[in-house]
Amino acid sequence: MNKQTEIKESTVLLMPDGNLARPGYCKHNLFRYNPEMIKRENTMRLKEWDYYQISDGNIMIQLNFFNISLATCATFGLVNLKTGRKISGMATELFTPHKNRLSKNGDVPNYTEYKRGGTKLIFDVRETERRLYFEGTASGKKVKFDVTCYKLPEHESITIATPFKEQGCFFLTQKLNCLATEGTVVAGNEKYTFTKDKTFTVLDWGRGVWPHTNTWYWGNGSTYLDGKLFGFELTWGFGDESNATETAIFYDGKCHKIGAVHLEKDPEDGAGWMNEWHFISEDGRLDLTMKPYYDHYTNLLPLNLFGMKTHQVHGLWSGKAVLDDGTELHIKDMYAFCEKVHNKF
């Protein structure tokens, strides 16, 4: 079984040589992000982003603000998961290694506002709620998106610091889900309303210097189970996971750490993207099957040289999850997603 090293006290992230001081995970972000320790030769490889995905199982919004040193981007995407209709928009600013740097901790109150041309993006992070706002153009339509995400008191998440074999490479990421969400999005003449009873947001907060080529899986979902918030975070295949895996169950605001997770069959190796996906954890505490109904496929990897190719598959999940005290939770037809990404950045 994989080792699971829990960080329980405030810890500096990077040593003077640019490598991680203490790889591991924590249930609140206790890592002190210190990018000034990144070696000069890696300055243009630093990536920072705050990515929010909001969905009620029918309409999905992807809202991202990122700086990958070569460029800063604010992006908006709307996908109808039942019809496949998509719209998207982006504001870009090139060569930004020393500007537009993002917050050093996504777990505490912070404020981000970005304006470029006709685009305006706001992430207003407070103790128990987050306002996400985007105004701009997507696929030729005027868009206004404004929602509030609600966080429980002492709401736990999972933050993990992962090293790579390559010296000076690291990844610090936090996944915060089970954020009940309400608000609206207007796109042209269409308006969609999100309600807290069935709409959830996940934050994917990331900072790091990576090797050029990577492949990973990311599965995530949130719902109400017996009146309490339930969710899971399943990421694997990225970096050296010998100190901790990015795998956890969330229930009523608490994080329950589980072991490494794998797929019974890889959908890319003959199993098929729209056939069932069976997820199993090495400790037996998670056993879930996804029945897909939509593959959100994007290929921004021209000539297989630079960019990303993603199959983000959405479906209904059923099975079991076991909490730290042995309580077995039974899941039936829960909306969630899992993606496989090939990345060359």
Side-chain angles (χ1 to χ4, degrees):
M1 282 194 180
N2 286 60
K3 183 179 179 182
Q4 304 291 341
T5 303
E6 184 176 3
I7 306 299
K8 297 184 178 182
E9 58 189 13
S10 180
T11 300
V12 67
L13 182 71
L14 299 175
M15 298 184 293
D17 62 3
N19 292 308
L20 288 178
R22 292 182 63 194
Y25 82 94
C26 42
K27 298 179 180 181
H28 292 285
N29 187 357
L30 297 175
F31 293 103
R32 300 197 305 276
Y33 177 52
N34 53 340
E36 63 275 11
M37 293 300 174
I38 295 170
K39 292 297 185 181
R40 180 175 296 179
E41 59 267 27
N42 286 335
T43 300
M44 291 300 293
R45 299 173 63 191
L46 175 60
K47 302 171 177 63
E48 298 179 341
W49 69 80
D50 290 8
Y51 169 89
Y52 289 91
Q53 184 161 303
I54 305 96
S55 184
D56 59 5
N58 296 309
I59 300 297
M60 176 180 70
I61 304 295
Q62 295 176 317
L63 190 60
N64 196 6
F65 182 59
F66 65 85
N67 185 346
I68 59 171
S69 298
L70 290 172
T72 295
C73 294
T75 71
F76 173 89
L78 183 154
V79 182
N80 187 318
L81 299 173
K82 296 305 173 71
T83 68
R85 192 172 70 84
K86 309 175 187 180
I87 63 171
S88 61
M90 177 172 65
T92 304
E93 186 177 353
L94 296 177
F95 303 111
T96 54
H98 303 297
K99 63 182 297 190
N100 303 328
R101 285 300 168 195
L102 280 66
S103 68
K104 291 191 174 184
N105 191 325
D107 218 12
V108 299
N110 62 84
Y111 183 84
T112 298
E113 182 170 334
Y114 183 73
K115 296 179 181 179
R116 183 132 180 111
T119 295
K120 181 178 181 180
L121 175 145
I122 295 173
F123 295 154
D124 186 2
V125 177
R126 304 180 184 182
E127 286 290 348
T128 58
E129 62 185 53
R130 295 169 183 240
R131 183 191 180 207
L132 312 179
Y133 180 88
F134 179 90
E135 186 175 342
T137 302
S139 300
K141 298 177 182 291
K142 291 290 186 181
V143 169
K144 186 174 182 181
F145 171 76
D146 194 351
V147 301
T148 301
C149 314
Y150 297 94
K151 185 179 174 186
L152 296 173
E154 297 302 312
H155 194 127
E156 293 182 344
S157 58
I158 183 167
T159 300
I160 183 168
T162 303
F164 295 84
K165 295 179 194 175
E166 293 82 354
Q167 292 296 301
C169 290
F170 71 93
F171 186 37
L172 174 67
T173 183
Q174 179 193 22
K175 299 299 194 302
L176 171 64
N177 60 336
C178 296
L179 297 174
T181 300
E182 64 180 358
T184 60
V185 57
V186 178
N189 296 323
E190 300 176 72
K191 180 178 180 179
Y192 301 98
T193 300
F194 297 107
T195 58
K196 288 194 295 183
D197 59 326
K198 58 183 180 180
T199 307
F200 300 94
T201 295
V202 56
L203 165 66
D204 174 2
W205 183 97
R207 311 287 186 264
V209 173
W210 305 352
H212 176 65
T213 301
N214 299 280
T215 297
W216 67 82
Y217 292 88
W218 177 34
N220 193 282
S222 305
T223 191
Y224 286 104
L225 198 61
D226 301 324
K228 297 184 183 296
L229 285 166
F230 166 81
F232 58 80
E233 161 58 23
L234 313 175
T235 295
W236 72 93
F238 194 72
D240 177 0
E241 299 174 300
S242 60
N243 290 279
T245 56
E246 195 180 335
T247 48
I249 299 164
F250 305 100
Y251 188 66
D252 197 23
K254 300 300 179 183
C255 173
H256 300 255
K257 188 71 182 70
I258 61 174
V261 171
H262 70 276
L263 276 170
E264 186 177 40
K265 296 179 181 178
D266 187 324
E268 195 168 22
D269 294 337
W273 299 104
M274 298 304 291
N275 292 324
E276 289 188 352
W277 298 35
H278 185 200
F279 302 80
I280 311 165
S281 66
E282 62 181 353
D283 53 18
R285 291 179 55 188
L286 181 135
D287 190 327
L288 292 172
T289 298
M290 175 177 69
K291 294 182 178 179
Y293 63 80
Y294 181 71
D295 179 7
H296 179 43
Y297 174 63
T298 55
N299 188 353
L300 301 174
L301 191 59
L303 302 177
N304 200 34
L305 295 175
F306 185 86
M308 293 177 65
K309 181 170 70 172
T310 303
H311 284 269
Q312 188 185 76
V313 179
H314 299 253
L316 299 179
W317 297 52
S318 300
K320 71 169 186 178
V322 180
L323 304 181
D324 289 343
D325 64 2
T327 301
E328 188 169 303
L329 304 177
H330 296 276
I331 298 95
K332 178 67 174 174
D333 292 336
M334 170 187 174
Y335 161 70
F337 70 89
C338 186
E339 66 182 27
K340 185 175 184 181
V341 178
H342 296 286
N343 174 279
K344 291 186 177 182
F345 264 126

